[in-house]
Amino acid sequence: MERCRPHGAMEPQPPAEQVLRQLGRLLSHRPGALTELGALLEASEPRWLLGTGSPAALVELAAQLSDFAALPECEQDTAELRDGDKAYEAAAERAAGVGGVFLRLLAKLEAAKADESLKPLVEPVLRRVMGYMYILAVTHIVEGAWSSAGTREVAAELLEELVRSVGCGTVEELLRGRKEEEKGGFEAVMGLMKPRLSKDTWKRNPATKHVFSWTLMRITRPWLSQHLERVLPASLLISDDFREENKVLGVRCLHHIVLNVPGADLCQFNRAQVVYHALYNHLYSREASLIQAVLLCLLDLLPILERAQRQQQQPRPTSPWDEVLQLVLTHMEPEHRLALRRVYARTLPAFVQRLGILIARHLKRLERVILGYLEVSDGPDEEARLGILETLKCTIEHAWPRMPCRLPVLLKALLKMIWDVHTDQGSTPEPVRAALLQRATECLILLDRCSEGQVKILLEGVYSCCEENRVRECIRRVQENT
């Protein structure tokens, strides 16, 4: 005969493992399952939640929640997505709900730390669910067609609570670990991201590249080198896309790697050469934003390649510096787009400075570029002219023995520019005019020094017949300089 339950006795609760797995399976089939799951976590006791078998069920549940909140796959790229897309609105609602459930789970795990018998179980669970929570938070913390003000708020709160729960002070600590020898969460995150970062999958989810780049930028020296095999292929893949915004993003990722990985590690297995060739090919682009990103990255990569060549004792007739500068000057000479002219002119002084006396190899083409850029104004800020005057100054300083023979051409160009700047009635601000005249005067002084006073002699006639005070002031400063 069945024994009767005493009056008022509660029915025993089913195991947490069973309930969690059942609700996880219902997420995609029953609209209210997510709400029920949130209510269950809110009401459950930490001891029940972390009972026998539950930690594995919690990890499985985190994966199911991550899949439920995932963005719909697409065949097109992010650049063609638009705010207000119904599929992304629905995904944002799901993400906000899942973020709320993750917050409740973190709260329960935090409460479990107060129980000494449960405390050993909390950290393993946190480490295994952390990647899913992090990816959801970073997906929606950036503004995109798939996020909303609500999801961004939930994502920021989730990321903040996740950092606090694992005992870190910043997202960087969460990813890298608090100490150099400590294992952070970056490996777990990249492990989950790996299937999404292949050649065939990375563009199906419009947030993948943002999550990858946002995460990569938060890992610096000395932690990044141990993850080089995970991050370099993905960065090269993104930079090799046909869309300009993806190329720029990929190049910025490569630049971060170059800055934060030791040169010896970069040169191992010919990695630095692979990056160099990828960047060199981008120099044929006509987009200013991409050229700027590429040149800035090359300025930090080329010294690494140069050191590797010296160590290998393999002398070459031309170095990567020469190869890059030759191509840049070839593109600069006929360039008429002001945005590109500014980018080239801003970067050129650094190349001249780095090559030093070896800039003499490129003087013929460099002279033509300097003359062409001095002649044309590029707008109120005169970035191109200021950059090219700095280039001329560096060139005179490093290749001064070759300057006397070029004196007539350079002197004429500088005087013409000084006159144009003085007489220009355009919208150029006074500080910019002053900067142009100051740099032109400095170049004249340097030319005079390397030509043993020839500039002073040539300017005597100009000074006596010029009636413009500002131009006379520039000439006077050259003549008085000793």
Side-chain angles (χ1 to χ4, degrees), residues 36-170:
E36 292 174 22
L37 181 58
L40 173 70
L41 290 173
E42 186 74 35
S44 62
E45 292 292 330
R47 183 167 293 280
W48 176 81
L49 196 60
L50 291 170
T52 307
S54 297
L58 284 171
V59 176
E60 186 180 323
L61 177 65
Q64 291 167 328
L65 286 167
S66 179
D67 291 339
F68 180 66
L71 302 180
E73 288 192 353
C74 61
E75 297 300 327
Q76 56 187 352
D77 197 10
T78 320
E80 297 175 5
L81 298 175
R82 295 290 181 267
D83 290 335
D85 188 305
K86 297 298 181 185
Y88 288 105
E89 285 182 2
E93 289 180 15
R94 293 197 303 272
V98 170
V101 171
F102 277 148
L103 282 168
R104 290 186 178 92
L105 177 56
L106 285 176
K108 289 300 173 183
L109 292 174
E110 191 65 26
K113 291 179 183 178
D115 189 329
E116 290 300 324
S117 61
L118 296 177
K119 195 173 181 180
L121 299 174
V122 174
E123 186 176 346
V125 173
L126 262 177
R127 289 219 164 262
R128 294 180 66 189
V129 302
M130 178 184 66
Y132 298 106
M133 295 181 179
Y134 174 89
I135 291 173
L136 176 74
V138 175
T139 297
H140 292 274
I141 207 167
V142 294
E143 191 167 346
W146 56 87
S147 65
S148 64
T151 57
R152 287 192 288 275
E153 185 179 343
V154 172
E157 185 182 355
L158 177 58
L159 194 58
E160 183 181 341
E161 286 301 312
L162 182 59
V163 169
R164 191 179 60 79
S165 295
V166 297
C168 295
T170 62

Side-chain angles (χ1 to χ4, degrees), residues 378 381-391 432 435-436 439:
D378 66 300
D381 294 332
E382 295 283 12
E383 291 179 58
R385 267 182 170 173
L386 287 169
I388 218 68
L389 283 168
E390 185 64 26
T391 301
V432 176
L436 284 170
R439 291 195 186 182

Side-chain angles (χ1 to χ4, degrees), residues 88-324:
Y88 288 105
E89 285 182 2
E93 289 180 15
R94 293 197 303 272
V98 170
V101 171
F102 277 148
L103 282 168
R104 290 186 178 92
L105 177 56
L106 285 176
K108 289 300 173 183
L109 292 174
E110 191 65 26
K113 291 179 183 178
D115 189 329
E116 290 300 324
S117 61
L118 296 177
K119 195 173 181 180
L121 299 174
V122 174
E123 186 176 346
V125 173
L126 262 177
R127 289 219 164 262
R128 294 180 66 189
V129 302
M130 178 184 66
Y132 298 106
M133 295 181 179
Y134 174 89
I135 291 173
L136 176 74
V138 175
T139 297
H140 292 274
I141 207 167
V142 294
E143 191 167 346
W146 56 87
S147 65
S148 64
T151 57
R152 287 192 288 275
E153 185 179 343
V154 172
E157 185 182 355
L158 177 58
L159 194 58
E160 183 181 341
E161 286 301 312
L162 182 59
V163 169
R164 191 179 60 79
S165 295
V166 297
C168 295
T170 62
V171 176
E172 288 77 8
E173 277 190 7
L174 168 75
L175 291 169
R176 73 192 185 206
R178 284 162 293 186
K179 301 175 184 176
E180 188 174 343
E181 66 277 4
E182 184 178 313
K183 193 175 182 181
F186 185 75
E187 190 173 334
V189 171
M190 290 305 299
L192 294 175
M193 291 289 294
K194 186 177 180 180
R196 312 180 193 187
L197 284 168
S198 72
K199 181 180 179 181
D200 299 322
T201 60
W202 77 272
K203 293 178 75 173
R204 292 182 187 171
N205 186 326
T208 295
K209 63 186 180 185
H210 296 292
V211 175
F212 170 74
S213 61
W214 198 91
T215 303
L216 171 63
M217 297 300 176
R218 278 151 183 81
I219 301 292
T220 55
R221 255 179 218 266
W223 295 273
L224 186 57
S225 58
Q226 61 185 304
H227 304 293
L228 187 55
E229 286 300 322
R230 291 179 178 269
V231 298
L232 184 57
S235 300
L236 288 166
L237 183 64
I238 296 171
S239 74
D240 195 37
D241 192 50
F242 67 95
R243 287 196 181 279
E244 184 201 350
E245 68 171 85
N246 291 336
K247 288 179 181 178
V248 173
L249 182 65
V251 170
R252 285 176 181 160
C253 290
L254 290 172
H255 195 182
H256 181 80
I257 292 170
V258 169
L259 289 172
N260 289 282
V261 172
D265 291 345
L266 274 177
C267 291
Q268 203 172 23
F269 308 119
N270 229 24
R271 296 185 188 110
Q273 281 289 344
V274 171
V275 175
Y276 170 69
H277 288 301
L279 294 171
Y280 188 85
N281 290 336
H282 286 315
L283 288 175
Y284 291 93
S285 169
R286 315 305 302 145
E287 301 298 336
S289 58
L290 178 58
I291 291 294
Q292 179 171 330
V294 169
L295 289 176
L296 291 175
C297 186
L298 281 169
L299 284 171
D300 289 309
L301 175 66
L302 292 178
I304 296 171
L305 288 172
E306 189 178 46
R307 285 195 297 272
Q309 277 184 4
R310 284 203 301 264
Q311 289 170 0
Q312 294 167 1
Q313 296 182 341
Q314 295 178 350
R316 295 175 57 187
T318 58
S319 69
W321 286 102
D322 293 298
E323 293 171 359
V324 171

Side-chain angles (χ1 to χ4, degrees), residues 359-377:
I359 193 61
R361 295 171 176 171
H362 306 275
L363 278 183
K364 188 178 289 187
R365 181 169 284 147
L366 180 58
E367 180 188 296
R368 295 199 300 267
V369 168
I370 289 171
L371 295 176
Y373 278 57
L374 286 178
E375 190 173 352
V376 180
S377 170

